[in-house]
Amino acid sequence: MSTTRVYMKKLGSFALMCLFLLAAGQTDALAVPASGPKDAVLIAAFGTSVEKARSSYAAIEKHVRLAFPDREIRWSWTAHSLLKTEKSRLSPQEALAKLATEGVKNVSVLSLHVIPGTEYNNLIRTARAFEGLPKGIRRITVSPPLLHDTESLKTVAEILVQSLPEKRKAGEAVVFVGHGTHHPAGVYYPALQHYLRGLDKNVFVGTVEDNLNLETVLGELKANSLRKAWIVPLMTVAGDHALNDLFGKEADSWKQTFIANGIQVETVARGLGENPALAGQWVEGLKNAQKKH
Ligand code: CO
């Protein structure tokens, strides 16, 4: 074989290797120009004024760093009231505008929402508005919220049942309390309860607002003669709603109302992000969304 032919053959195998890498989805290394800014992951959370509750966000960020080691990671908060008081925080709009001016071309937005409600749909609208503007961000992918289809409902129900408080006994109720919404996506709460109760009949879902309210859940506990309940937030962080509406000292909190009705209460002040399997679900959702986009 002549030197030229050996060379040609080597070139051929290099081309094959490139094709293989492309086919395997390992396109990142090839697509990013060496000089340009890194692609980014923009995490979009509601935000919380409760310092301690941010441990849940920190836990999620660890998962993101592991899954996207080559990406620039940024945060944004959607709660307008918090953005007013915490000036250094950016809204998703502000964070995307900043990334655009920095010349970032690909942004993957990790939504830390639980259901596809108003907040999530606003985030989608924002992403669409910023995508493909002249000289702007070329591609913006948004991950689905934790609950978004039948499969995710079943998976999350399994994860929640596998990670119930260790000291909880079978005859004791566990009530996962989410935020609640008047948006049609509120149906995800009773849907999740359906799958949870299929796995453990004493596990319930409640919501602070609308949907499955305190009276509804209290009625369920009484109807099932349950005398003890574990209250666990079904929220990304165990922030203001958890500490006040659920566990607060006021007579109308979930804890005090249960106690007043003869139900013993244990509380778990932990956000969903502190459950590694759930954090993994969120991150996996972003990986899948990228493949589809
Ligand atoms: Co609220």
Side-chain angles (χ1 to χ4, degrees):
M1 215 186 281
S2 75
T3 349
T4 334
R5 282 185 62 191
V6 171
Y7 181 66
M8 291 299 284
K9 211 178 163 198
K10 274 190 181 159
L11 207 67
S13 51
F14 177 70
L16 261 176
M17 199 182 79
C18 290
L19 272 174
F20 174 76
L21 283 173
L22 283 165
Q26 311 268 321
T27 51
D28 269 15
L30 298 169
V32 179
S35 55
K38 282 198 267 182
D39 289 350
V41 171
L42 175 62
I43 306 174
F46 183 75
T48 178
S49 55
V50 181
E51 192 78 43
K52 243 183 100 183
R54 291 176 194 166
S55 52
S56 179
Y57 288 158
I60 291 169
E61 188 176 313
K62 272 190 200 154
H63 286 262
V64 177
R65 285 196 187 285
L66 277 176
F68 301 94
D70 304 326
R71 302 259 178 146
E72 175 71 21
I73 296 169
R74 301 281 174 89
W75 276 87
S76 62
W77 283 10
T78 60
H80 295 289
S81 55
L82 295 173
L83 292 169
K84 271 184 211 151
T85 51
E86 304 211 18
K87 300 284 183 210
S88 63
R89 303 279 170 187
L90 301 181
S91 67
Q93 288 91 327
E94 290 166 333
L96 285 171
K98 190 163 185 280
L99 288 166
T101 49
E102 290 170 19
V104 175
K105 293 298 170 203
N106 292 299
V107 181
S108 303
V109 181
L110 177 67
S111 142
L112 295 187
H113 298 99
V114 176
I115 56 156
T118 312
E119 289 269 332
Y120 180 73
N121 284 289
N122 286 342
L123 182 64
I124 295 278
R125 252 193 296 278
T126 300
R128 293 276 174 279
F130 273 89
E131 192 178 43
L133 291 177
K135 294 183 189 165
I137 303 167
R138 219 184 305 128
R139 206 176 84 146
I140 304 177
T141 311
V142 184
S143 68
L146 189 63
L147 303 173
H148 58 274
D149 61 7
T150 307
E151 205 50 45
S152 62
L153 279 163
K154 287 181 183 172
T155 307
V156 169
E158 274 165 26
I159 293 172
L160 290 176
V161 165
Q162 277 161 18
S163 41
L164 292 176
E166 268 176 38
K167 290 184 181 156
R168 176 259 184 173
K169 299 188 188 82
E172 300 167 357
V174 177
V175 185
F176 287 101
V177 190
H179 193 280
T181 177
H182 54 269
H183 187 279
V187 294
Y188 277 94
Y189 295 111
L192 179 65
Q193 175 166 268
H194 168 80
Y195 290 110
L196 282 168
R197 295 198 70 191
L199 299 168
D200 182 325
K201 67 178 171 50
N202 291 334
V203 178
F204 300 85
V205 174
T207 52
V208 175
E209 292 167 17
D210 300 284
N211 318 109
L212 303 166
N213 64 19
L214 178 51
E215 292 78 67
T216 307
V217 176
L218 185 61
E220 287 274 14
L221 298 187
K222 284 181 174 173
N224 288 277
S225 313
L226 294 159
R227 308 303 304 270
K228 182 169 175 178
W230 294 73
I231 305 177
V232 186
L234 182 73
M235 300 174 191
T236 312
V237 292
D240 192 59
H241 279 304
L243 302 185
N244 296 310
D245 299 302
L246 304 188
F247 311 149
K249 290 193 177 75
E250 301 74 26
D252 61 351
S253 77
W254 286 58
K255 179 180 175 179
Q256 303 309 330
T257 306
F258 282 0
I259 292 172
N261 281 274
I263 297 166
Q264 268 188 67
V265 171
E266 297 277 356
T267 59
V268 180
R270 212 167 85 120
L272 296 178
E274 282 159 280
N275 182 325
L278 293 179
Q281 279 292 114
W282 262 302
V283 172
E284 201 56 37
L286 184 57
K287 281 189 175 172
N288 291 334
Q290 280 184 325
K291 283 179 211 152
K292 280 184 224 152
H293 193 100

